[in-house]
Amino acid sequence: MAWIDRYNLMEYYHMHMRPFRALLANLERRGILVATNYLADVEVQARKDRVEHVATFKRWAAGEIGPDGLAMNLASLVQLSTFLFGGGANAKTQECMEAVRVFKTPRADVPDEAMEAYRERDAALKEQKEADAALLDNGEGGESSSEENVPEEDEFDQMKAAELKLLCKEYNLKVSGKKAASTITSP
């Protein structure tokens, strides 16, 4: 594996890393000690601070975009850049970023705090919908609205059959329409 023209990594090690190791050993021998206890304490504090700052950022993001902010993966540059710069233009290419993107996240990766926020949001939306329906029913003299029988639309309604099949395959679901055989044993 060449790193510069005719040299390989072993030559790089002998040229740079071994002398650097010797330099560090000389520094320590001559009195420039590395305070490992102090560094360990600083590391523990840094980890605590990171947890606190991540929670603060997610709470702020949830205030901006709702429960999705609590479920955001802060290690994903794509999610962060969409959240922070979505809809903006790249300064160099003048290409606009997508304002909204949908990220597929396995349920196991969504924090419990985010799931609870989703449940609360859904319950509030359901209550609002029921209140609106009651107002419509009262305003129309008790007649039922024709929208009650219409199912809610979701992102799957907009997908083509090929996209749905691909999504099923991605989650290892059967796409043939045949039911899986199951065996039931009685005691």
Side-chain angles (χ1 to χ4, degrees), residues 104 156 159 161-177:
K104 298 174 191 170
F156 302 113
M159 292 180 156
E163 294 171 326
L164 290 169
K165 285 183 179 182
L166 189 72
L167 186 64
C168 288
K169 286 181 183 179
E170 186 175 321
Y171 287 96
N172 296 326
L173 300 173
K174 293 187 181 271
V175 295
S176 65

Side-chain angles (χ1 to χ4, degrees), residues 65-172:
I65 61 172
D68 293 333
L70 296 172
M72 188 184 309
N73 178 4
L74 298 183
S76 169
L77 291 177
V78 176
Q79 288 186 23
L80 281 175
S81 62
T82 301
F83 173 63
L84 296 172
F85 308 111
N90 184 323
K92 292 181 181 179
T93 64
Q94 298 304 319
E95 182 179 325
C96 286
M97 289 186 63
E98 296 176 64
V100 176
R101 288 185 67 173
V102 176
F103 297 97
K104 298 174 191 170
T105 306
R107 166 58 188 102
D109 294 345
V110 177
D112 293 334
E113 184 181 8
M115 289 305 296
E116 184 60 32
Y118 284 128
R119 285 187 206 99
E120 289 172 6
R121 181 194 64 188
D122 292 345
L125 288 173
K126 184 177 180 183
E127 287 177 14
Q128 182 64 39
K129 194 177 213 181
E130 289 171 355
D132 291 346
L135 286 174
L136 285 175
D137 288 345
N138 291 337
E140 295 176 1
E143 295 178 27
S144 63
S145 94
S146 61
E147 294 179 354
E148 289 179 358
N149 297 331
V150 177
E152 292 184 30
E153 285 193 29
D154 58 11
E155 71 241 30
F156 302 113
D157 292 329
Q158 306 301 323
M159 292 180 156
K160 305 259 189 269
E163 294 171 326
L164 290 169
K165 285 183 179 182
L166 189 72
L167 186 64
C168 288
K169 286 181 183 179
E170 186 175 321
Y171 287 96
N172 296 326

